C-alpha cells in the first residue's frame, strides 16, 4: 500500500530531471501517472520506465500553455485512468540574460511556459473539480506549483525567470484562498536539484559525487511533492516549500513590517529619517543570488 493509491497524478515537464523523479516516486506510492512533456520520446521513455517498475503510466506530449491543449491532456488522462486528482506544474525553460540584454522574445517565451503553463491546466482541472464538488461528490484534489529560489529572492541574469517564478508564488496564494471551498489545496515548491537547467548553469556544483549522499539527486525533492499530492496533506495549503537534499523548509514570504504612522500627510523631505529607521528595524532580506 502506498500513500497515493488510487490517485492519478498529472506531471508536466516529466520527461527528465525533477519531473521524471516525481513520476517514479508517485508511481512507487501507488499513483497512476500522466507523464506530460513536449518531447514525446522523453515522455514515452519515462512512462515506460514507470511501467517497467510495476507502475501505471500514460505518456502525453500535449500543449500545456493553451486551454485547448490542457483540456485535451485532461481528457486523455480521464480516458486512461477515470479521474485526475493531482496536478504538478513542473515544466519550465530558461532564457538567461542580464536584464538590459533581454529581448522581447526572451521575456515572452519564459512567461508563456511558466505563467501561462501554470494557468491552463489548473484552470481546466479546477473547473472540473469545482463542478464535481457542486454536484455533491467528494473532492480531495491537489495543485502543486513550481516556484524557485530565484523567484523568492531574485537572481542575477534571470530577471524574466525570477519574475515568472515570483508570479507563480503569488498565484499559489490566490489559488489556495479561492479553491479551498472546492476541496482543492494549492502549494508551491522551490526545488534545488540536478536537472538539465541547473547542469547548464552550474555543472560543477550539481555534479553527482563519487560516493556518499547525492544532495542534488532529484529524487530527494520528490518526497515532499509526493506527500503534498497525497491525502495526508489535506490540512496544508497556500505554502511554499524549499527542498534540497535532506533539507526542507517553509518559505516566509512578504508580510507587512513595522509601521510608522504620523497621523497626517508626510512631507517628502522628512521621510529620509523615517525610511532609514523602518529599514533598520526590519529583518534584512536574503541576498539576491549572484550578489
Amino acid at each position: 500500500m502506498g500513500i497515493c493509491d488510487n490517485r492519478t497524478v498529472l506531471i508536466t515537464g516529466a520527461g527528465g530531471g525533477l519531473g521524471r523523479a516525481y513520476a517514479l516516486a508517485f508511481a512507487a506510492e501507488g499513483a497512476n501517472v500522466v507523464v506530460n512533456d513536449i518531447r514525446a520520446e522523453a515522455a514515452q521513455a519515462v512512462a515506460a520506465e514507470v511501467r517497467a517498475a510495476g507502475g501505471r503510466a500514460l505518456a502525453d506530449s500535449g500543449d500545456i500553455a493553451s486551454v485547448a491543449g490542457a483540456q485535451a491532456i485532461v481528457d486523455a488522462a480521464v480516458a486512461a485512468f477515470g479521474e485526475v486528482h493531482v496536478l504538478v506544474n513542473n515544466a519550465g525553460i530558461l532564457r538567461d540574460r542580464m536584464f538590459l540584454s533581454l529581448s522581447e522574445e526572451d521575456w515572452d517565451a519564459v512567461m508563456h511556459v511558466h505563467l501561462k503553463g501554470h494557468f491552463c491546466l489548473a484552470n481546466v482541472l479546477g473547473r472540473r473539480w469545482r463542478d464535481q464538488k457542486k454536484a455533491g461528490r467528494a473532492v480531495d484534489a491537489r495543485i502543486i506549483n513550481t516556484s524557485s529560489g530565484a523567484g523568492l529572492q531574485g537572481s542575477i541574469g534571470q530577471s524574466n525567470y525570477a519574475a515568472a517564478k515570483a508570479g507563480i508564488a503569488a498565484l499559489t496564494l490566490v489559488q489556495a484562498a479561492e479553491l479551498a471551498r472546492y476541496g482543492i489545496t494549492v502549494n508551491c515548491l522551490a526545488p534545488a536539484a540536478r536537472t538539465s537547467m541547473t547542469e547548464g548553469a552550474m555543472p560543477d556544483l550539481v555534479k553527482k559525487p563519487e560516493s556518499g549522499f547525492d544532495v542534488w539527486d532529484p529524487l530527494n525533492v520528490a518526497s515532499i511533492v509526493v506527500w503534498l499530492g497525497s491525502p495526508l496533506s489535506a490540512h496544508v495549503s497556500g505554502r511554499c516549500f524549499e527542498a534540497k537534499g535532506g533539507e526542507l523548509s517553509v518559505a516566509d514570504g512578504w508580510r507587512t513590517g513595522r509601521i510608522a504612522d504620523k497621523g497626517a500627510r508626510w512631507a517628502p523631505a522628512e521621510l529620509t529619517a523615517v525610511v532609514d529607521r523602518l529599514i533598520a528595524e526590519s529583518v534584512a532580506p536574503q541576498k539576491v543570488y549572484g550578489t
Side-chain angles (χ1 to χ4, degrees):
M1 296 288 290
I3 66 170
C4 289
D5 282 350
N6 302 315
R7 288 172 79 75
T8 295
V9 182
L10 198 169
I11 307 168
T12 69
L18 284 165
R20 170 185 170 273
Y22 300 161
L24 293 172
F26 268 112
E29 290 293 339
N32 307 313
V33 180
V34 180
V35 181
N36 170 268
D37 200 293
I38 194 171
R39 304 163 299 168
E41 290 184 2
Q44 291 164 2
V46 173
E49 194 174 358
V50 169
R51 289 192 290 267
R56 297 172 299 279
L58 170 70
D60 182 276
S61 57
D63 179 14
I64 66 168
S66 75
V67 171
Q71 185 65 64
I73 296 167
V74 171
D75 289 346
V78 171
F81 300 121
E83 191 49 80
V84 177
H85 306 90
V86 181
L87 168 63
V88 182
N89 281 316
N90 169 72
I93 62 169
L94 292 177
R95 294 291 186 272
D96 290 355
R97 305 278 191 283
M98 297 300 281
F99 177 71
L100 296 182
S101 298
L102 279 176
S103 67
E104 184 175 5
E105 290 75 18
D106 292 330
W107 183 270
D108 287 348
V110 169
M111 295 302 159
H112 182 75
V113 173
H114 288 277
L115 282 176
K116 194 173 182 188
H118 269 63
F119 165 76
C120 293
L121 275 165
N123 186 263
V124 168
L125 280 168
R127 290 171 183 267
R128 178 181 180 85
W129 293 328
R130 179 195 61 187
D131 292 347
Q132 290 174 353
K133 185 71 171 181
K134 288 185 173 182
R137 292 178 57 185
V139 175
D140 187 27
R142 306 283 183 270
I143 297 173
I144 303 166
N145 294 327
T146 304
S147 185
S148 167
L152 302 180
Q153 283 95 42
S155 180
I156 296 294
Q158 292 190 307
S159 57
N160 50 356
Y161 179 76
K165 290 303 191 183
I168 288 166
L171 173 65
T172 299
L173 298 179
V174 178
Q175 288 175 322
E178 292 185 357
L179 303 180
R181 72 192 73 178
Y182 305 122
I184 306 166
T185 71
V186 189
N187 293 283
C188 74
L189 180 75
R194 184 170 50 252
T195 68
S196 59
M197 290 196 295
T198 56
E199 284 184 313
M202 46 185 182
D204 292 335
L205 180 63
V206 303
K207 67 181 179 182
K208 185 175 182 178
E210 294 183 4
S211 62
F213 179 45
D214 183 2
V215 171
W216 297 96
D217 187 336
L219 282 169
N220 300 329
V221 175
S223 299
I224 182 62
V225 178
V226 172
W227 182 84
L228 285 171
S230 77
L232 300 176
S233 68
H235 61 294
V236 177
S237 195
R239 298 288 189 161
C240 184
F241 294 86
E242 294 186 88
K244 182 188 81 171
E247 300 175 5
L248 182 67
S249 64
V250 181
D252 187 13
W254 291 103
R255 61 181 65 245
T256 302
R258 189 181 296 272
I259 297 172
D261 184 2
K262 181 180 179 179
R265 183 181 302 131
W266 295 98
E270 67 180 324
L271 285 173
T272 300
V274 176
V275 171
D276 287 349
R277 184 175 74 252
L278 288 174
I279 290 175
E281 294 173 350
S282 67
V283 177
Q286 288 184 233
K287 290 186 177 181
V288 171
Y289 286 98
T291 62

